[in-house]
């Protein structure tokens, strides 16, 4: 079955989990709550276990549950498929027996009935009564005992009910089921599509309750953290050092080259790089940016962000890939000429090739990945210049292009350094001014990856915004000791 992301009319979720002997029906992930443990490494696991799902729902406006799709050929996938096939083969044997054995069919019909009932709105009492009557398990059991259970008739009724209750996106799948004549294949198809319909309903319920869920998520995470803090008063020590370092970074002189990067994003950079006075907004923004550069070996990760550490690492990896991509495009533009690089199709092709190669080589060192990228892009540029009737790359220019592309994998490379600074500046602007406003005046070299930056910026802003909603009161108290008392800390932290 495919992942489910579509929205459907709000319905009340119900509990219709399949039994071990039957194919699994989609359902919400259950949270695993841990208990407090003293060692920091175990504390990290505790915090993660307690609030992972709550945080996910709270920070993501498009959060949705998805069916777990096992990798093709995986051991778990093969075992699951074998068990499912065994059940349906057994069902076929039972129905083919003389007289037919309806025991498995009755169990399946019971689960199907539960799923159908779970898809109803509270006010749909007439349909509820109709389903209860049509799928009266006591009556169906009696019919089965007398060999009079009409499976095709029941399947037809279930299909008609699915047509009434399914989202428009499932209409085609239900219609296809109507063409199946084999009773076992039909029941199997019904059960699969009902699983998708159940997931549709769960996702719409989550979406319709998103404001309440977000508020609950904030209160829940804060309460859980407070419980831990009550038992371990030193729980905010790393958070305090994290914010202290951020304040110190803002007080230090700008690094060489930062002025050039700032001037490329005039109005946002003025707001994001105000030299004084230090404000809670700027300290927190700098602190969150520092997390994208956090040394994996440094165990003093802020306690208030332990739940988000994996997400921050994913964002850091995405940022690194975008920095490489922008650097590659910037270098390539100087060898392609304005005519060739002025073609959106050509630029898109370079982006696709670079992304694909970097994805293939993501488990290898950047130096090795860029060797593959540089050779492929040099060939693409050379061939495209020839196709347009322009002067192709000479052997010297080809060697120079390959060399420069390989060098962007080095952090000290001037092109890579400038791109890194500009992406960090963009993310800082996003935290202060918002993503859309920050996109209005992108620094040079970033316009070619605008869509990718918008996605990265939105993820980063959503993560930090939710974190500040949860832990704002703690940050306020810490910042009171770091910043001048004249500043209205509580109001500013809460408004982030």
């Amino acid at each position: 079955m495919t992942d489910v992301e579509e929205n459907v009319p709000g319905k009340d979720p119900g509990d219709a989990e399949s039994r071990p002997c039957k194919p699994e029906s989609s359902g919400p992930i259950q949270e695993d709550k841990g208990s407090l443990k003293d060692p920091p490494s175990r504390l990290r696991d505790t915090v993660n276990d307690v609030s992972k799902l709550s945080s996910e729902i709270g920070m993501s406006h498009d959060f949705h549950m998805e069916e777990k799709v096992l990798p093709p050929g995986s051991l778990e996938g093969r075992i699951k498929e074998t068990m499912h096939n065994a059940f349906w083969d057994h069902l076929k044997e039972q129905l083919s027996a003389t007289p037919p054995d309806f025991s498995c069919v009755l169990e399946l019909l019971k689960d199907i009935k539960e799923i159908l009932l779970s898809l109803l709105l509270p006010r749909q009492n007439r349909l509820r009564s109709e389903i209860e009557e049509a799928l009266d398990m006591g009556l169906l059991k009696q019919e089965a005992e007398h060999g009079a259970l009409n499976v095709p008739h029941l399947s037809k009724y279930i299909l008609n009910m699915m047509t009434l209750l399914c989202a428009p996106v499932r209409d085609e799948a239900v219609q296809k089921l109507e063409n199946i004549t084999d009773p076992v294949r039909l029941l199997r198809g019904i059960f699969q599509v009902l699983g998708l319909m159940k997931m549709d309903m769960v996702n719409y319920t989550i979406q319709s309750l998103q404001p309440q869920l977000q508020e609950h998520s904030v209160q829940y995470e804060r309460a859980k953290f407070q419980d831990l803090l009550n038992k371990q008063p030193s729980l905010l020590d790393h958070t305090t050092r994290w914010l202290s370092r951020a304040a110190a970074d803002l007080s230090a002189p700008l690094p060489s080259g930062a002025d050039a990067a700032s001037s490329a994003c005039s109005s946002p950079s003025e707001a994001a790089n105000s030299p004084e006075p230090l404000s809670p907004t700027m300290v927190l923004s700098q602190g969150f940016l520092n997390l994208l550069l956090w040394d994996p070996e440094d165990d003093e990760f802020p306690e208030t962000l332990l739940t988000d550490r994996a997400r921050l690492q994913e964002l850091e990896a995405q940022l690194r890939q975008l920095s490489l991509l922008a650097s590659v495009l910037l270098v390539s533009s100087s060898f392609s000429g304005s005519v060739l690089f002025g073609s959106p199709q050509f630029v898109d092709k370079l982006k696709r090739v670079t992304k694909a190669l970097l994805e293939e080589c993501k488990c290898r060192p950047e130096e090795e990945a860029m060797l593959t990228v540089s050779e492929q892009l040099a060939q693409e540029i050379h061939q495209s210049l020839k196709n347009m009737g322009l002067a192709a790359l000479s052997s010297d220019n080809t060697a120079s292009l390959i060399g420069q592309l390989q060098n962007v994998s080095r952090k000290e490379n001037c092109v890579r350094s400038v791109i890194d600074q500009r992406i960090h500046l963009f993310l800082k602007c996003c935290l202060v001014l918002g993503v859309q406003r920050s996109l209005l005046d992108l620094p040079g070299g970033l316009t070619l990856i605008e869509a990718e930056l918008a996605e990265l910026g939105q993820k980063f802003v959503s993560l930090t915004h939710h974190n500040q909603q949860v832990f704002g009161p703690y940050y306020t108290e810490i910042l009171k000791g770091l910043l001048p008392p004249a500043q209205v800390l509580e109001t500013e932290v809460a408004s982030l």
Side-chain angles (χ1 to χ4, degrees):
M1 284 184 256
T2 56
D3 292 344
V4 180
E5 298 185 16
E6 294 82 7
N7 299 330
V8 297
K11 301 165 185 173
D12 292 336
D15 181 14
E17 297 302 320
S18 300
R19 290 163 180 74
C21 66
K22 288 183 286 296
E24 297 175 2
S25 176
S26 303
I29 300 169
Q30 296 298 318
E31 183 183 358
D32 179 22
K33 298 181 177 63
S35 58
L36 178 68
K37 299 175 183 178
D38 292 334
S41 60
R42 294 184 180 180
L43 174 62
R44 180 184 300 112
D45 295 336
T46 300
V47 177
N48 282 337
D49 290 342
V50 165
S51 58
K52 184 177 181 180
L53 182 58
S54 176
S55 177
E56 194 72 43
I57 294 175
M59 79 171 65
S60 177
H61 294 286
D62 60 351
F63 176 84
H64 59 274
M65 305 293 292
E66 294 183 355
E67 182 191 10
K68 181 181 179 182
V69 179
L70 300 173
S74 66
L75 177 60
E76 185 179 357
R78 292 198 302 270
I79 293 174
K80 183 176 180 179
E81 183 180 4
T82 300
M83 292 177 65
H84 285 194
N85 290 336
F87 168 78
W88 296 111
D89 288 343
H90 182 56
L91 177 62
K92 186 174 183 177
E93 290 176 2
Q94 286 190 339
L95 293 181
S96 301
T98 304
D101 182 351
F102 295 111
S103 55
C104 280
V105 170
L106 288 173
E107 287 298 309
L108 195 59
L109 289 173
K110 182 179 179 181
D111 280 354
I112 289 174
K113 175 184 175 181
E114 290 175 356
I115 297 176
L116 288 175
L117 291 174
S118 75
L119 299 176
L120 296 176
L121 292 166
R123 64 177 178 271
Q124 291 178 308
N125 294 321
R126 184 184 62 80
L127 284 178
R128 187 178 304 276
S129 299
E130 183 181 325
I131 294 173
E132 291 282 6
E133 181 180 350
L135 299 177
D136 184 330
M137 298 312 300
L139 181 59
L140 294 180
K141 184 177 180 181
Q142 291 180 18
E143 293 178 357
E145 290 173 350
H146 292 84
L149 189 67
N150 193 334
V151 176
H153 174 74
L154 290 169
S155 299
K156 180 65 175 177
Y157 171 80
I158 293 168
L159 282 177
N160 290 337
M161 192 57 62
M162 290 169 65
T163 302
L164 288 175
L165 299 177
C166 74
V169 71
R170 303 297 169 205
D171 284 341
E172 183 179 356
V174 175
Q175 289 172 5
K176 287 182 179 179
L177 294 178
E178 295 174 354
N179 299 322
I180 300 176
T181 56
D182 179 75
V184 175
R185 284 185 57 222
L186 179 56
L187 286 172
R188 185 170 190 170
I190 285 173
F191 198 78
Q192 289 174 337
V193 176
L194 278 174
L196 294 177
M197 290 170 60
K198 182 180 176 183
M199 189 69 78
D200 289 341
M201 181 272 300
V202 169
N203 282 325
Y204 182 79
T205 302
I206 289 174
Q207 185 187 56
S208 62
L209 297 176
Q210 192 72 17
Q212 296 93 319
L213 289 173
Q214 288 178 336
E215 177 62 26
H216 174 75
S217 172
V218 169
Q219 300 301 328
Y220 173 78
E221 290 184 66
R222 187 184 299 164
K224 285 295 182 181
F225 188 83
Q226 185 62 50
D227 288 343
L228 296 175
L229 186 61
N230 293 339
K231 297 174 183 177
Q232 191 170 338
S234 62
L235 193 58
L236 286 170
D237 288 356
H238 294 167
T239 302
T240 302
R241 284 194 283 272
W242 163 61
L243 291 175
S244 298
R245 285 198 292 268
D249 290 342
L250 289 172
S251 302
L254 289 173
S256 175
D259 291 335
S262 300
S263 64
C265 185
S266 56
S267 59
S269 65
E270 290 173 8
N273 289 287
S274 302
E276 61 179 358
L278 288 183
S279 69
T281 302
M282 297 311 302
V283 173
L284 281 168
S285 297
Q286 184 63 44
F288 285 122
L289 285 170
N290 289 346
L291 294 174
L292 296 177
L293 301 172
W294 200 272
D295 182 357
E297 302 300 322
D298 188 349
D299 290 331
E300 293 192 358
F301 200 80
E303 299 90 344
T304 55
L305 283 136
L306 288 175
T307 301
D308 300 317
R309 188 168 193 177
R311 299 186 188 96
L312 285 163
Q313 289 173 340
E314 291 175 4
L315 291 178
E316 190 275 332
Q318 187 176 348
L319 186 154
R320 189 169 60 249
Q321 292 286 78
L322 287 184
S323 178
L324 271 176
L325 177 60
S327 301
V328 164
L329 293 175
L330 195 58
V331 170
S332 298
S333 66
S334 62
F335 286 85
S336 304
S338 58
V339 176
L340 179 58
F341 214 77
S343 167
Q345 293 81 5
F346 174 73
V347 175
D348 287 343
K349 184 177 183 180
L350 286 190
K351 287 175 67 173
R352 290 196 306 270
V353 171
T354 303
K355 285 181 179 180
L357 292 175
L358 290 176
E359 182 65 24
E360 290 177 6
C361 304
K362 64 181 180 181
C363 296
R364 293 159 52 189
E366 284 186 0
E367 292 81 1
E368 294 182 19
M370 287 310 302
L371 176 61
T372 304
V373 171
S374 61
E375 293 175 348
Q376 182 65 39
L377 291 194
Q379 182 179 343
E380 293 286 348
I381 293 173
H382 180 80
Q383 189 60 45
S384 296
L385 287 171
K386 286 180 62 178
N387 293 343
M388 294 186 69
L390 301 172
L393 293 176
S394 65
S395 57
D396 289 342
N397 283 340
T398 300
S400 178
L401 171 60
I402 292 175
Q404 290 189 41
L405 287 175
Q406 291 178 18
N407 284 336
V408 300
S409 63
R410 301 175 181 175
K411 292 293 185 182
E412 65 273 12
N413 177 266
C414 59
V415 174
R416 176 73 177 275
S417 178
V418 169
I419 292 296
D420 279 343
Q421 288 179 16
R422 290 177 178 177
I423 292 180
H424 278 86
L425 175 63
F426 167 76
L427 291 176
K428 195 170 189 177
C429 293
C430 288
L431 294 179
V432 178
L433 303 171
V435 177
Q436 294 306 314
R437 187 175 171 187
S438 301
L439 289 169
L440 294 177
D441 192 13
L442 282 176
L446 300 188
T447 54
L448 296 174
I449 58 168
E450 179 177 347
E452 293 83 358
L453 282 176
E455 179 186 351
L456 175 66
Q458 191 57 59
K459 289 180 180 178
F460 190 47
V461 169
S462 296
L463 186 152
T464 57
H465 177 73
H466 180 76
N467 182 268
Q468 290 169 58
Q469 284 186 307
V470 176
F471 298 105
Y474 303 106
Y475 296 151
T476 294
E477 290 303 313
I478 294 172
L479 290 170
K480 281 180 179 178
L482 299 177
L483 302 177
Q487 303 200 27
V488 187
L489 296 174
E490 188 167 351
T491 302
E492 198 158 354
V493 170
S495 67
L496 286 173

